[in-house]
């Protein structure tokens, strides 16, 4: 496994032990990184504090990615404690439940704004705030999590698919902007995994079964497998990779019928 020894990272999107962001945090910590973790609201604070108790000297901070003041506070605190930042993992996504249940044509203006703000715009806001800290380190790596629903229609994924399309495009534009500063921006497109966010998509279990039946590896993927790919992109091993959407889905994306 590539090393992250001496590196510092911010991981956004840990809700519980099943979160993809938590698997990445564990793998990054095992690879030697010191981490800042955030939690969204008091509801999740205890979960994140309990989980991060097993990490080496972590910082744990509140962050709602729709709140610019909170974003500013998180990066001030990281700068004070770490004196710079090597990587950011962005694992925040949200759409109101009815948007993932009703027919897509019923998507509301408010639901659309909310989904795109939390799930796509936030990558721009976090990357902008990380920029001066990464410049202190001579570069950095930003990683987000996306899903094939950006490009193909999955029943009930709806506005989240539109948000993921915006997110993947955002990855490419940020990569182009920040490449000259040696800051890389990538996404992992993970296969479906039963997490808190996934449970909001109605009929999610049938998506899992279709992957088991049809993906070239004939199985779904685990959060630890997504995390291993994440460490590659966050580390020196991925130093020439940017503007990429790396598929970690057992090959499902390549299937036709
Ligand atoms: N589970 C899957 O099948 C799957 C597949 C591909 C991609 N993804 C993506 O992986 C990422 C992580 O999701 P997950 O499946 O681990 O589920 P999760 O529910 O564990 O994580 C989603 C996180 O988003 C956070 N979040 C939502 N709104 C927020 C806000 N306003 N401010 C800050 N944080 C906010 C939640 O607190 C939570 O920690 C998401 O981007 C998701 O779309 C998931």
């Amino acid at each position: 496994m590539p090393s992250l020894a001496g590196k510092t990272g911010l991981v956004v999107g840990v809700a519980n032990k099943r979160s993809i962001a938590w698997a990445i945090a564990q793998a990054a910590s095992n690879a030697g990184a010191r981490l800042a973790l955030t939690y969204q609201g008091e509801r999740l604070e205890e979960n994140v504090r309990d989980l991060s108790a097993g990490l080496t000297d972590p910082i744990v901070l509140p962050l709602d990615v729709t709140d610019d003041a909170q974003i500013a506070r998180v990066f001030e605190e990281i700068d004070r404690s770490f004196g710079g930042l090597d990587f950011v993992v962005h694992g925040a996504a949200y759409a109101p439940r009815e948007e993932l249940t009703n027919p897509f044509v019923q998507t509301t203006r408010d639901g659309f704004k909310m989904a795109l703000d939390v799930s796509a715009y936030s990558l721009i806001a976090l990357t902008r705030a990380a920029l001066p800290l990464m410049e202190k380190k001579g570069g950095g790596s930003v990683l987000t999590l996306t899903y094939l629903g950006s490009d193909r229609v999955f029943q009930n994924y709806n506005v989240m698919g539109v948000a993921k399309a915006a997110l993947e495009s955002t990855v490419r534009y940020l990569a182009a902007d920040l490449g000259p500063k040696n800051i890389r921006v990538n996404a992992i497109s993970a296969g479906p995994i039963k997490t808190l966010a996934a449970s909001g998509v109605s009929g999610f279990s049938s998506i899992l079964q279709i992957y088991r039946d049809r993906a070239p590896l004939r199985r779904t993927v685990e959060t630890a497998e997504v995390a291993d790919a994440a460490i590659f992109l966050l580390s020196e091993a991925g130093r020439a990779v940017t503007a990429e959407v790396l598929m970690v889905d057992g090959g499902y994306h390549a299937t036709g019928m």
Side-chain angles (χ1 to χ4, degrees):
M1 189 56 64
S3 171
L4 292 174
K7 306 250 184 209
T8 54
L10 166 65
V11 180
V12 175
V14 179
N16 57 39
K17 65 178 195 299
R18 280 183 292 278
S19 296
I20 299 173
W22 173 239
I24 297 174
Q26 283 178 295
S29 177
N30 290 340
R34 189 175 168 208
L35 298 178
L37 265 65
T38 64
Y39 56 88
Q40 178 209 5
E42 286 171 16
R43 189 174 54 92
L44 295 173
E45 178 172 2
E46 199 181 329
N47 280 357
V48 177
R49 287 200 185 278
D50 287 353
L51 288 170
S52 56
L55 305 175
T56 311
D57 205 10
I59 312 178
V60 180
L61 300 162
L63 177 63
D64 183 321
V65 295
T66 63
D67 183 336
D68 288 326
Q70 277 191 32
I71 293 176
R73 273 200 295 279
V74 163
F75 285 90
E76 274 162 29
E77 186 56 45
I78 290 175
D79 202 16
R80 213 179 355 260
S81 302
F82 294 168
L85 191 65
D86 296 291
F87 63 86
V88 172
V89 176
H90 171 272
Y94 176 76
R97 186 171 277 269
E98 57 276 18
E99 308 294 353
L100 305 175
T101 310
N102 294 339
F104 178 69
V105 71
Q106 306 291 356
T107 303
T108 65
R109 193 181 299 275
D110 283 348
F112 186 97
K113 278 188 192 162
M114 173 69 93
L116 274 281
D117 189 13
V118 174
S119 316
Y121 179 76
S122 60
L123 183 68
I124 304 173
L126 291 183
T127 304
R128 184 169 57 239
L131 181 55
L133 282 72
M134 287 183 167
E135 284 184 294
K136 285 187 185 179
K137 296 294 205 85
S141 178
V142 176
L143 177 67
T144 187
L145 293 159
T146 187
Y147 181 59
L148 185 60
S150 59
D151 198 38
R152 316 270 175 85
V153 173
F154 288 81
Q155 202 178 8
N156 296 323
Y157 200 62
N158 293 358
V159 73
M160 191 53 79
V162 179
K164 293 303 192 190
L167 180 69
E168 290 171 22
S169 183
T170 296
V171 162
R172 292 184 283 272
Y173 276 92
L174 286 173
D177 247 11
L178 304 181
K181 297 182 189 297
N182 194 31
I183 295 171
R184 299 180 292 109
V185 186
N186 293 290
I188 287 178
S189 184
I193 302 172
K194 208 157 191 121
T195 60
L196 191 63
S199 66
V201 180
S202 37
F204 186 77
S205 305
S206 62
I207 297 181
L208 287 174
Q209 193 53 50
I210 288 169
Y211 274 69
R212 286 188 199 104
D213 293 342
R214 300 193 198 160
L217 294 183
R218 295 289 191 278
R219 64 178 181 84
T220 55
V221 301
E222 292 171 9
T223 56
E225 295 174 318
V226 177
D228 284 352
I231 301 308
F232 158 67
L233 289 170
L234 297 176
S235 73
E236 287 303 300
R239 64 194 173 280
V241 182
T242 194
E244 177 67 343
V245 178
L246 177 62
M247 309 303 300
V248 182
D249 68 344
Y252 180 84
H253 66 282
T255 59
M257 286 182 67

